[in-house]
Amino acid sequence: QKEVEQNSGPLSVPEGAIASLNCTYSDRGSQSFFWYRQYSGKSPELIMFIYSNGDKEDGRFTAQLNKASQYVSLLIRDSQPSDSATYLCAVSSNFGNEKLTFGTGTRLTIIP
Amino acid sequence: KAGVTQTPRYLIKTRGQQVTLSCSPISGHRSVSWYQQTPGQGLQFLFEYFSETQRNKGNFPGRFSGRQFSNSRSEMNVSTLELGDSALYLCASSLQDRVKGGELFFGEGSRLTVL
């Protein structure tokens, strides 16, 4: 069983709709959770981080964390074609980012 | 503000050779991490350096090594290259500021092909 699992996709969402990306992790001691976006041929860039159970909103993005279920998700509202990318979920066992375990990513395509 | 710079961007080696990759972090960042990215395994953590000390290490064989210099620049070395070492090697630097979330800033990567 992989430590961080994501649906590989591809996930296709109409423009303007909500895109929902999911991630589960196996280490119950995990403390920090990150979502990175990676455009094709580019390096990953941080979108959101979350430490506490519940929701965290930043613009069109909302990260949701449920430690009891070992589940973290990313919602993208009003999806835009520029949101088309691979989204990587990453988990750390501490409150920093010294050693991240990444999922293999979900490829998201926004359909105009 | 200059980003993370990795050199070389592309390189081709043959099995058995060794390779050294270089990474210059963002000015002021003292933490440098290295990741290997392949289509099948995704991003896998190699090691992390902070103030010239290796603080964390991933599950890679001893052929993979690294170091960090006093100016925070880092190098990683892979000896006795194998075909499976073909990958994109990403370097990331960080302020290690937990208040701000400790964002990792990635370089563009060094794409290694082993023939």
Side-chain angles (χ1 to χ4, degrees):
Chain A
Q1 182 189 5
K2 289 190 175 181
E3 296 180 53
V4 178
E5 294 207 40
Q6 299 179 249
N7 291 330
S8 60
L11 176 65
S12 296
V13 174
E15 183 176 356
I18 296 176
S20 178
L21 304 164
N22 304 316
C23 172
T24 58
Y25 58 94
S26 60
D27 183 359
R28 189 169 286 278
S30 298
Q31 301 286 349
S32 307
F33 307 86
F34 305 83
W35 283 100
Y36 280 81
R37 176 177 63 198
Q38 186 172 26
Y39 292 114
S40 180
K42 299 294 185 182
S43 54
E45 54 182 344
L46 182 69
I47 300 175
M48 297 277 294
F49 64 90
I50 186 167
Y51 297 153
S52 305
N53 278 328
D55 295 358
K56 180 181 179 182
E57 186 175 322
D58 184 1
R60 296 187 296 112
F61 299 94
T62 299
Q64 299 175 316
L65 175 61
N66 183 326
K67 288 187 177 181
S69 299
Q70 296 176 240
Y71 175 90
V72 58
S73 65
L74 178 70
L75 300 178
I76 306 174
R77 291 181 301 281
D78 189 24
S79 296
Q80 302 296 311
S82 60
D83 294 327
S84 297
T86 296
Y87 289 80
L88 302 165
C89 172
V91 174
S92 175
S93 60
N94 54 39
F95 287 103
N97 61 5
E98 294 91 353
K99 180 179 178 181
L100 295 183
T101 300
F102 281 85
T104 53
T106 298
R107 185 173 175 183
L108 174 66
T109 299
I110 305 302
I111 303 169
Chain B
K1 189 176 185 181
V4 178
T5 304
Q6 291 189 245
T7 57
R9 291 290 313 279
Y10 303 91
L11 64 166
I12 300 173
K13 294 285 187 178
T14 57
R15 282 179 296 175
Q17 288 187 311
Q18 66 92 27
V19 66
T20 299
L21 309 177
S22 179
C23 172
S24 293
I26 293 172
S27 178
H29 288 193
R30 295 165 64 189
S31 170
V32 174
S33 303
W34 289 89
Y35 288 82
Q36 180 195 66
Q37 187 172 32
T38 58
Q41 298 296 320
L43 271 160
Q44 293 186 285
F45 175 78
L46 281 157
F47 25 67
E48 185 252 352
Y49 288 88
F50 184 86
S51 294
E52 302 179 65
T53 300
Q54 186 182 90
R55 288 199 302 190
N56 291 281
K57 188 176 189 302
N59 298 321
F60 279 81
R63 299 185 296 107
F64 292 81
S65 63
R67 59 177 175 169
Q68 186 180 33
F69 303 95
S70 58
N71 61 358
S72 293
R73 190 177 70 85
S74 178
E75 288 181 348
M76 69 163 282
N77 184 277
V78 187
S79 62
T80 319
L81 284 166
E82 301 177 358
L83 295 178
D85 297 333
S86 294
L88 180 67
Y89 290 88
L90 289 164
C91 169
S93 74
S94 172
L95 267 176
Q96 288 295 306
D97 185 334
R98 293 180 176 180
V99 174
K100 296 179 181 178
E103 178 176 0
L104 286 180
F105 293 84
F106 284 89
E108 292 297 317
S110 293
R111 183 165 296 282
L112 170 66
T113 301
V114 182
L115 302 176

